[in-house]
Amino acid sequence: MPAFSLEPEQTAWCAELRTTAAQRLRPLADKGEPGRVNRPLLAELGQLGLLARLFSSGALDLCLMRESLAQSCTEAETALALQGLGAHPVHAHGSPAQRERWLPRVSDGSAVAAFALSEPGAGSDAAALSLAAEPDGAGRWRLTGAKRWISNAPEADFYTVFARTTPGAGARGVTAFLVPADRPGLTGTPLDMLSPHPIGALDFDAVPVTADDVLGEPDRGFAVAMGTLNLFRPSVGAFAVGMARAALDATLEHTRRREAFGGRLMDLQTVSHQVAEMALRTEAARLMVYAAATAYDEGAADVPKRAAMAKLLATETAQYVVDTAVQLHGARALHRGHLLEHLYREVRAPRIYEGASEVQRAIIAKELYATTQEGPR
């Protein structure tokens, strides 16, 4: 099965992506301004056909793209993933007019998409969001409130925004809106984060939206959000696996060459056992990611559990692998610009975004209890 053994053409495609990322995307990423949307990089991803592939392939292909790009250029991986995250609700739930206006531009890299779910008081508890969609006549609302930690904000061309249309209804009272960035009352500011991605805050001051801007159905936006996350959570794990594999490759090369204590580092049992553990955990995470993606593509009933498991294991594994790689490299890995210094900053956020590790554990437990009957007391 693809979950455990990729087909030869898939393996060849991944190798091609890694080479392309190193040769064509890495130079564009290096020229980008930290913390800003890199539009030339997006245009190249579009030219390569990778952005269009977001809407024509399944979860496993998405994972293969993200893992392969992450091994050679994390900036390219993130740019691709954010386009998919922001535009997938339009692809899956948008009207013909919404899809026709935005998806071709997302696919060629000329329009930047963003997924606006998190708020100052509603990060992990997404059902508690409070951005208010206040009625403003038949089929019209005004959005008032704030979003925080939104990737590609405030430079995106449009936002998939989740707002509360029915107060006090929890997850059942949320609506998804497609909000172009030029709507009056919508403003934003960039945030200076540990890893300098384009991430910002958005403020909504009576921003007008209409029924034509709704994605899906009113009060059914939480399902839009969760459906998107079920697709992208395994691929966050793939991003993490790509980073772990890059750190492992760097460590193999370093310990093979580095002389210390009268021999090479690789000849020290304590070092070789650490490297073996890094490889073991990385491979286990990779297989779980592929299994979750395959389950999604096959329409399996346990996708939420598998997606949560894949994201949890892979992101926690990548944190361990990168940290161990830094330890085995020593002080050289802490130099600004070193691959591992870069990965060390990159690897931390995936344990938080799209559902923190604690949220993934809660999802897993909930799904387990929901599918098992209570035994005799």
Side-chain angles (χ1 to χ4, degrees), residues 6-370:
L6 295 178
E7 299 295 334
E9 58 269 22
Q10 291 173 308
T11 301
W13 182 53
C14 290
E16 181 183 344
L17 282 178
R18 291 193 296 271
T19 299
T20 298
Q23 295 179 352
R24 295 180 58 174
L25 301 177
R26 176 80 268 159
L28 291 171
D30 289 341
K31 293 177 182 177
E33 183 178 346
R36 301 293 302 273
V37 172
N38 188 330
R39 289 184 181 263
L41 179 60
L42 278 174
E44 187 67 12
L45 287 167
Q47 180 68 30
L48 291 167
L50 296 178
L51 295 178
R53 193 155 182 159
L54 289 168
F55 309 118
S56 62
S57 57
L60 182 58
D61 263 11
L62 176 60
C63 287
L64 296 180
M65 280 196 288
R66 294 191 68 175
E67 178 187 337
S68 301
L69 292 177
Q71 281 189 254
S72 298
C73 182
T74 60
E75 296 90 341
E77 183 283 332
T78 300
L80 174 123
L82 296 181
Q83 287 287 83
L85 185 65
H88 180 265
V90 182
H91 169 69
H93 302 279
S95 67
Q98 290 169 329
R99 291 163 56 90
E100 182 179 352
R101 178 181 178 186
W102 291 110
L103 294 186
R105 295 183 58 202
V106 171
S107 297
D108 67 18
S110 63
V112 177
F115 186 82
L117 179 63
S118 295
E119 297 181 4
S124 295
D125 186 8
L129 64 84
S130 61
L131 178 73
E134 300 165 342
D136 187 37
R140 305 181 69 86
W141 298 265
R142 294 274 181 171
L143 304 182
T144 300
K147 295 288 183 181
R148 291 294 183 273
W149 309 295
I150 306 305
S151 294
N152 283 343
E155 298 179 76
D157 296 299
F158 73 92
Y159 300 90
T160 295
V161 177
F162 299 88
R164 182 157 301 286
T165 40
T166 301
R172 293 184 176 89
V174 173
T175 299
F177 295 94
L178 193 164
V179 183
D182 60 0
R183 286 288 167 86
L186 176 56
T187 58
T189 55
L191 298 174
D192 188 10
M193 307 295 285
L194 174 66
S195 189
H197 292 302
I199 296 177
L202 296 173
D203 291 297
F204 296 78
D205 183 10
V207 175
V209 290
T210 71
D212 290 339
D213 300 313
V214 173
L215 292 168
E217 301 176 24
D219 286 345
R220 299 294 300 274
F222 195 73
V224 174
M226 293 304 104
T228 302
L229 294 177
N230 282 337
L231 169 61
F232 276 85
R233 275 175 178 155
S235 73
V236 174
F239 172 38
V241 168
M243 288 190 287
R245 293 182 72 172
L248 175 60
D249 288 346
T251 302
L252 287 168
E253 181 67 18
H254 173 70
T255 55
R256 184 181 288 115
R257 293 175 176 272
R258 176 68 169 169
E259 297 280 342
F261 306 106
R264 294 177 298 178
L265 282 181
M266 64 176 285
D267 297 323
L268 298 175
Q269 187 180 74
T270 184
V271 171
S272 64
H273 282 192
Q274 283 181 290
V275 172
E277 184 70 16
M278 293 164 67
L280 173 69
R281 296 196 192 189
T282 300
E283 182 68 3
R286 184 181 69 86
L287 294 177
M288 180 162 279
V289 166
Y290 291 1
T294 301
Y296 183 97
D297 288 339
E298 294 178 348
D302 60 350
V303 165
K305 180 185 73 176
R306 286 182 176 271
M309 285 182 167
K311 181 182 186 294
L312 174 64
L313 179 64
T315 56
E316 296 286 338
T317 292
Q319 183 79 60
Y320 164 81
V321 171
V322 172
D323 186 71
T324 304
V326 169
Q327 195 70 19
L328 291 176
H329 276 74
R332 72 189 66 237
L334 304 179
H335 285 210
R336 182 71 70 182
H338 192 282
L339 170 65
L340 291 175
E341 179 270 336
H342 171 75
L343 292 177
Y344 198 76
R345 288 183 288 110
E346 289 278 330
V347 80
R348 189 60 183 86
R351 292 172 58 203
I352 296 174
Y353 64 62
E354 295 186 40
S357 292
E358 293 75 14
V359 171
Q360 306 311 317
R361 291 186 174 94
I363 292 171
I364 294 165
K366 178 182 177 182
E367 293 294 319
L368 287 171
Y369 284 117

